[in-house]
Amino acid sequence: RPGRPRRPGLLNGKLEASTVWLGPATSPMDVTGHGTAEITNGQVINLPFFRRLAGLLGNISVLAQPDFSQAKMDFRVAGQKLEITAFILKSALFELTGTGVIGFDLHVTGTVKLALNPQLTRQVPAELRGVLETREDGYSVVPLKVSGTVDDPKVALAVDAGMVDRAVNGSSRC
């Protein structure tokens, strides 16, 4: 946003990465590449996506700046875009998986599934809790769409036919 200082968020922890990059270092917009990056034993700090996610689900504070055991991403870079082909973030309380694209202009689109353990599921508002799938391990799955920008993401429920059926018929099992 013009005139407003950017407050970047971060993931901290131990980083291991394996990457391949092609293109001139003097022209970073033309670089292509691919790789895998993994952060272990870390914490999310001040990332707008996680703050929006926490708010969407009834202000569950532990989702706003969670600790995690693993965050892993497989990616490709081409055409001034970072394509996340696989992402998983695991914590003791939830798992976040998804795919998406982040443009060099910081626009983002993606689909995400958030699986909440039973303790966190109880903190979700009842009207939402009643339409979520429940996995065999007891985790409730929240399907999400992400759009907007990295600094101002839009996080919304990805309502599907299964959610509508569960709302009408009252079943929550996968």
Side-chain angles (χ1 to χ4, degrees):
R1 294 180 185 151
R4 185 172 169 192
R6 188 163 185 247
R7 295 181 306 143
L10 61 99
L11 297 175
N12 75 3
K14 180 183 176 191
L15 171 66
E16 291 188 30
S18 173
T19 64
V20 174
W21 299 100
L22 301 169
T26 57
S27 183
M29 296 302 238
D30 296 326
V31 169
T32 63
H34 61 89
T36 298
E38 180 175 16
I39 300 173
T40 54
N41 301 320
Q43 183 182 24
V44 172
I45 300 172
N46 198 35
L47 284 177
F49 167 80
F50 283 90
R51 290 194 315 267
R52 298 281 165 81
L53 179 62
L56 177 68
L57 298 176
N59 293 315
I60 300 175
S61 62
V62 71
L63 291 176
Q65 294 201 132
D67 293 330
F68 60 88
S69 58
Q70 177 191 40
K72 185 174 181 180
M73 172 177 75
D74 296 330
F75 64 90
R76 289 190 293 254
V77 176
Q80 298 184 10
K81 294 180 182 178
L82 168 69
E83 179 186 3
I84 300 167
T85 57
F87 177 80
I88 184 164
L89 186 140
K90 293 181 181 181
S91 86
L93 300 173
F94 68 91
E95 294 175 2
L96 183 73
T97 58
T99 60
V101 175
I102 302 171
F104 286 12
D105 62 0
L106 300 182
H107 279 86
V108 61
T109 60
T111 57
V112 176
K113 286 191 177 183
L114 174 66
L116 302 169
N117 78 3
Q119 176 187 347
L120 279 187
T121 300
R122 287 190 290 276
Q123 296 179 45
V124 173
E127 59 274 9
L128 175 56
R129 194 171 52 238
V131 298
L132 300 178
E133 284 183 27
T134 303
R135 299 188 321 198
E136 288 185 17
D137 62 3
Y139 278 57
S140 295
V141 179
V142 183
L144 302 162
K145 292 180 190 178
V146 182
S147 61
T149 65
V150 170
D151 292 330
D152 188 19
K154 309 298 182 235
V155 181
L157 286 175
V159 177
D160 61 20
M163 290 179 86
V164 173
D165 184 55
R166 285 185 293 280
V168 171
N169 298 318
S171 173
S172 66
R173 284 279 166 209
C174 299

